[in-house]
Amino acid sequence: QRMRDLIVAAVLAAAIPMAYGSSALAPQVSREGAVTVKVTPGKLAPAAATWDFEIVFDTHTAVLTGDPAQFAVLVDAQGRRYAPLRWDGDPPGGHHRKGMLRFRAPDGRNGTIELRLNGVGGVATRSFQWDVR
């Protein structure tokens, strides 16, 4: 009985993320130019109203300016682009900024999604991609 319960628990644990969307997509880091950018996706669930990305900007050579909601775009697997709803995070200034960039959940919710950040630290476009199933 105990072995059967363990097997059932393991099967359910493996099935839950597939049934409810990606819950643990790996963070990605870009170290190009004068600014390091780390992006960690939140839970990108099919039923979610918003898809959220935690972004950390870090530099030792420049002051961080601009509104991330103005220089970011989310691209779904079909190539459709989504502008951010808002940036909930640190205001411009300083050498370190952290916050959540929030998007309306895309229509194409399965496949590769890409977050593009334009013009950060002298880099034309930084691309962060994840496979969402």
Side-chain angles (χ1 to χ4, degrees):
Q1 177 67 27
R2 178 159 163 68
M3 180 59 92
R4 185 176 62 161
D5 290 345
L6 289 172
I7 291 171
V8 168
V11 168
L12 287 174
I16 287 171
M18 291 185 287
Y20 294 101
S22 302
S23 61
L25 295 173
Q28 294 183 22
V29 177
S30 168
R31 292 181 175 86
E32 297 176 77
V35 178
T36 297
V37 180
K38 179 180 178 184
V39 179
T40 305
K43 186 173 182 181
L44 307 182
T50 64
W51 280 15
D52 304 333
F53 298 84
E54 179 185 70
I55 304 179
V56 178
F57 300 95
D58 189 26
T59 183
H60 295 287
T61 60
V63 174
L64 295 166
T65 61
D67 178 356
Q70 299 299 313
F71 56 76
V73 65
L74 185 66
V75 182
D76 70 15
Q78 289 73 38
R80 292 180 292 245
R81 295 169 184 250
Y82 301 84
L85 295 171
R86 68 186 176 275
W87 166 254
D88 293 331
D90 296 330
H95 296 281
H96 309 282
R97 291 179 71 189
K98 180 178 179 179
M100 289 294 250
L101 192 59
R102 302 184 192 282
F103 292 86
R104 178 179 67 83
D107 297 328
R109 298 176 187 209
N110 287 321
T112 300
I113 57 133
E114 177 184 15
L115 177 64
R116 295 179 188 162
L117 301 177
N118 299 308
V120 177
V123 177
T125 302
R126 295 176 195 244
S127 174
F128 303 90
Q129 296 182 7
W130 296 271
D131 189 37
V132 179
R133 299 280 172 208

